Structure formats: structure tokens, C-alpha cells
């Protein structure tokens, strides 16, 4: 893992740094990222939460903090939480860290459920992320701001569930982990 905390990294340098990190086998986190939980260890602005089977990748550090705390409050636990920086799902960056994060969570034996959170992604990048999640073999929850939960939900055969809020993201993830149907009134 390689964390770029600063928010003053030009876009061209972000792309180059993420490409270099990927070539060296590193998971480049950031820039403009202040939240991560790696192997149970909170980094920067992360909260101490229960360990468990839910792995997260998020372009929003505050969204990542909120969902990890909600998962903990609902009795679930976090395996890994990877902050990508706000521009990662832009057309220029192409979801570089999100896609690497999904792959890392796919290989992580602790991670049973994958959650992806983002501000509105570029449509072509959203399609790549959703495709990668469908291929990875683990159930997933996605919250792309701007999509509504009920309107965006896929059929029962799709491993990817779409959430309309941060609370719904946490509730769906914990329900999937428990193997129970999601009922917002139960949370």
C-alpha cells in the first residue's frame, strides 16, 4: 500500500503515480485520501471498528468512515477499507485504484462481501467497476451517488446490489454477510 494524503497532486501526476504503483505491485491510495483500514489497522482519519468479512473501496473518505462505523454499529465487521481519492472514478484516471482494490479484496480470504462507494462516477468507469465486481465471485454492494436503491437494484441473480444511501450500503452488506434478507426496519 502506498498512501498519498495530499490533495494538491496534479491529475497527470496522480495518473503517473497510480500507474507506477500498480507496476510495482503497490495499491496506491489517494491522493486526497485520508482514510484506510488495512489488516485491521486504521490509517489517518479511519475509525477503530470491529474486524470482519466486509471489504470496502471508496472514493469518498468521509463516506468510507461513515459506512465502516455503520457496519460496526450493525454488528458486522470490516476486513479492509481502501480510500481511493475523489478523482479515481473520473474518465482520466479510469478507476485505477478502485479496480486494484476490488482485485485485492477478491484475493483477501477475510473478505466475504465487497462494498464500493463513490461520488458520481464517469459512466464508462462505472461500467468497468460493475463488470469487475460481477466477475470477482463475491457478493457486492455499490453506492454510486445519484442512483436510487430501489430503482437501481439488479435482479436476484446478480451478485451486485445497488444501494441508494450510505445507511443502505451498510445494511445490505451486513445482511449479505449474515445470509439474511435486507429489511431496513431491522436496522
Amino acid at each position: 500500500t502506498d498512501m498519498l494524503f495530499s490533495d494538491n497532486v496534479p491529475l497527470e501526476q496522480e495518473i503517473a503515480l497510480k500507474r507506477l504503483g500498480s507496476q510495482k505491485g503497490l495499491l496506491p491510495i489517494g491522493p486526497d485520501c485520508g482514510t484506510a483500514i488495512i489488516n485491521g489497522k486504521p490509517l489517518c482519519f479511519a475509525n477503530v471498528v470491529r474486524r470482519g468479512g466486509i471489504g470496502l473501496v471508496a472514493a469518498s473518505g468521509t463516506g468510507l468512515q461513515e459506512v465502516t462505523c455503520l457496519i460496526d454499529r450493525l454488528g458486522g465487521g470490516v476486513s479492509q477499507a481502501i480510500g481511493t481519492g475523489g478523482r479515481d472514478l473520473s474518465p482520466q484516471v479510469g478507476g485505477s485504484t478502485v479496480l486494484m482494490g476490488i482485485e485485492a479484496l477478491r484475493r483477501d480470504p477475510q473478505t466475504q462481501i465487497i462494498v464500493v462507494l463513490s461520488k458520481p462516477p464517469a459512466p464508462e468507469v462505472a461500467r468497468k467497476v460493475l463488470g469487475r465486481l460481477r466477475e470477482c465471485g463475491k457478493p457486492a454492494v455499490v453506492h454510486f451517488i445519484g442512483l436510487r436503491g430501489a430503482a437501481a437494484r439488479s435482479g436476484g441473480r446478480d451478485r451486485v446490489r445497488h444501494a441508494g444511501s450510505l445507511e443502505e450500503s451498510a445494511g445490505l452488506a451486513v445482511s449479505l454477510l449474515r445470509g439474511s434478507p435486507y429489511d431496513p426496519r431491522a436496522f
Side-chain angles (χ1 to χ4, degrees):
T1 302
D2 183 22
M3 183 175 255
L4 304 167
F5 186 79
S6 175
D7 65 351
N8 295 316
V9 177
L11 181 61
E12 299 76 31
Q13 287 182 1
E14 176 178 348
I15 294 166
L17 287 167
K18 287 185 175 191
R19 197 171 289 140
L20 179 62
S22 176
Q23 291 168 357
K24 293 185 174 272
L26 299 171
L27 180 62
I29 296 176
D32 189 22
C33 169
T35 304
I37 300 170
I38 305 298
N39 295 325
K41 304 293 185 226
L43 303 175
C44 296
F45 294 117
N47 299 77
V48 175
V49 295
R50 180 181 297 116
R51 296 277 326 251
I54 300 171
L56 301 94
V57 181
S60 166
T62 53
L64 185 59
Q65 290 172 351
E66 176 70 8
V67 174
T68 58
C69 288
L70 288 168
I71 287 168
D72 183 79
R73 187 177 318 144
L74 296 172
V78 174
S79 59
Q80 313 289 338
I82 302 164
T84 70
R87 296 185 301 205
D88 196 71
L89 290 162
S90 70
Q92 298 89 346
V93 182
S96 174
T97 299
V98 169
L99 296 170
M100 285 186 276
I102 291 168
E103 178 59 22
L105 295 174
R106 182 192 69 77
R107 287 185 277 117
D108 179 25
Q110 297 297 313
T111 300
Q112 299 169 17
I113 309 296
I114 298 174
V115 177
V116 176
L117 309 168
S118 176
K119 301 165 188 164
E124 65 273 16
V125 180
R127 284 190 292 278
K128 280 197 293 190
V129 169
L130 291 170
R132 184 71 52 89
L133 285 169
R134 287 184 180 106
E135 294 167 0
C136 86
K138 293 184 179 185
V141 175
V142 174
H143 176 50
F144 290 148
I145 293 176
L147 293 180
R148 298 285 180 243
R153 278 195 183 82
S154 304
R157 286 175 267 155
D158 194 346
R159 288 184 168 271
V160 179
R161 305 288 193 284
H162 294 269
S165 68
L166 297 176
E167 289 90 3
E168 187 176 21
S169 300
L172 279 167
V174 172
S175 292
L176 287 168
L177 188 64
R178 292 179 179 157
S180 62
Y182 173 63
D183 179 0
R185 294 170 295 173
F187 294 100

